[in-house]
Amino acid sequence: MGKTSDLTAVQKTIIDTLHKEGKTQKVIAKEAGCSQSSVSKHINRQAKGRKKCGRKKCTSSRDNRTLQRIVTTNPFKNVGEIHKEWTAAGVSASRTTTRRLMKDMGFRCRIPCVKPLLNKKQRKKRLAWAKDKKDWTDAEWSKVMFSDESKFCISFGNQGPRVWRKSGEAQNPRCMRSSVKFPPSVMVWGAMSSAGVGPLCFLKSRVNAAVYQEVLEHFMLPAADQLYGDADFTFQQDLAPAHSAKTTSTWFKDHGIPVLDWPANSPDLNPIENLWGIVKRRMQYARPNNAEELKTTIRATWALITPEQCHRLIESMPRRITAVIEAKGAPTKY
């Protein structure tokens, strides 16, 4: 007859059943085929549970609430800063304890989501635009050529400060960084539709209206021929100064190309933003040594984008619009 830990699952079931029936421990031991002390220990353990062991905690519940309040109030502080503020409140704990407790509370150190800074007027226009387009079908969106510029750097490692947040808090405004749409030094222009991607244009200077019209002439028109052939299409662009210039509008009219009306500061509505993200994630382990090697890597990665990927992104437009309506014009997760 062994110890309690040696009891089989069948013996434990017999003990529990007979104990509920009110049998004595002597009878139970005989029926289960074990010692009476084993029966006693098993019954007591089931009633009280295993006693916790280990070193006594060095912080109280009040101390832990203080730590949680510090992290919630200042989620962009690093562990050292949080630990310093916590110990300044009279708590005696190590930095390791601080990190462990933060993890136990559900906080994880993550790269914060970046969303555009929208004022009330912009949110109102986004909401109106979304309501106007909410009944568009996939077939209608497939006739739109989406375009955008994106900046690529040789190093993708520096992604800014991190934030302490819990699961499900990625879109919590408290855990997000704001970005303001202003193209300082754009490097790459690209276009896509549900049929695939067009050729890339590497920009050598600051984009003004004249430079942008050259991009349209030598890269957008070939992309349209490649993606649509002789079929009609609508061109999408954001409201950057070069895009909304009068001479650019005249260029589109002269070429008979309709332009989709677009709300300001709305990268979350543009599926090509997700395409840039795919390209950059695929390039995160690339180590180009100079600008020319970087361009070569971008071209090679861009060429791997499939029409199926583009089609799935275009199909997300109704969901993006629904999300904007539900958010009442505020930035969404896209």
Side-chain angles (χ1 to χ4, degrees), residues 87-265:
T87 54
V91 179
S92 178
S94 67
R95 179 168 172 162
T96 302
T97 298
T98 303
R99 178 184 288 275
R100 178 177 54 76
L101 286 175
M102 289 167 63
K103 186 176 181 180
D104 291 343
M105 292 174 184
F107 290 106
R108 299 293 184 271
C109 191
R110 298 288 187 261
I111 297 171
C113 297
V114 180
K115 296 294 182 181
L117 188 62
L118 296 172
N119 57 39
K120 187 176 180 180
K121 184 178 180 181
Q122 290 171 333
R123 289 196 297 270
K124 187 176 180 180
K125 287 186 176 181
R126 275 167 53 89
L127 180 59
W129 183 91
K131 289 181 177 179
D132 182 60
K133 301 292 189 294
K134 66 181 177 67
D135 295 325
W136 276 33
T137 63
D138 289 343
E140 289 176 294
W141 285 116
S142 67
K143 296 179 181 179
V144 179
M145 180 193 292
F146 292 88
S147 70
D148 190 34
E149 299 90 2
S150 184
K151 184 176 181 181
F152 284 77
C153 301
I154 289 180
S155 174
F156 296 96
N158 184 15
Q159 296 172 306
R162 289 177 170 257
V163 62
W164 290 98
R165 70 185 187 215
K166 296 182 179 181
S167 177
E169 291 186 338
Q171 301 300 319
N172 189 321
R174 180 182 61 79
C175 301
M176 295 165 61
R177 289 193 297 123
S178 295
S179 67
V180 180
K181 180 69 175 178
F182 188 81
S185 57
V186 179
M187 297 177 62
V188 187
W189 178 93
M192 66 165 289
S193 75
S194 62
V197 297
L200 290 176
C201 174
F202 292 92
L203 305 167
K204 298 180 180 180
S205 61
R206 187 177 180 86
V207 180
N208 54 29
V211 172
Y212 184 59
Q213 289 159 34
E214 288 292 320
V215 173
L216 296 174
E217 188 76 38
H218 299 293
F219 291 90
M220 190 275 282
L221 291 180
D225 291 337
Q226 174 186 327
L227 298 173
Y228 293 99
D230 295 329
D232 294 333
F233 72 96
T234 300
F235 185 69
Q236 179 278 335
Q237 59 182 1
D238 60 26
L239 300 183
H243 302 177
S244 55
K246 290 183 179 180
T247 55
T248 303
S249 300
T250 301
W251 187 94
F252 281 111
K253 290 179 181 178
D254 292 343
H255 288 77
I257 300 174
V259 178
L260 181 68
D261 61 301
W262 195 255
N265 280 7

Side-chain angles (χ1 to χ4, degrees), residues 22 26 326:
K26 185 176 181 180
E326 291 176 350

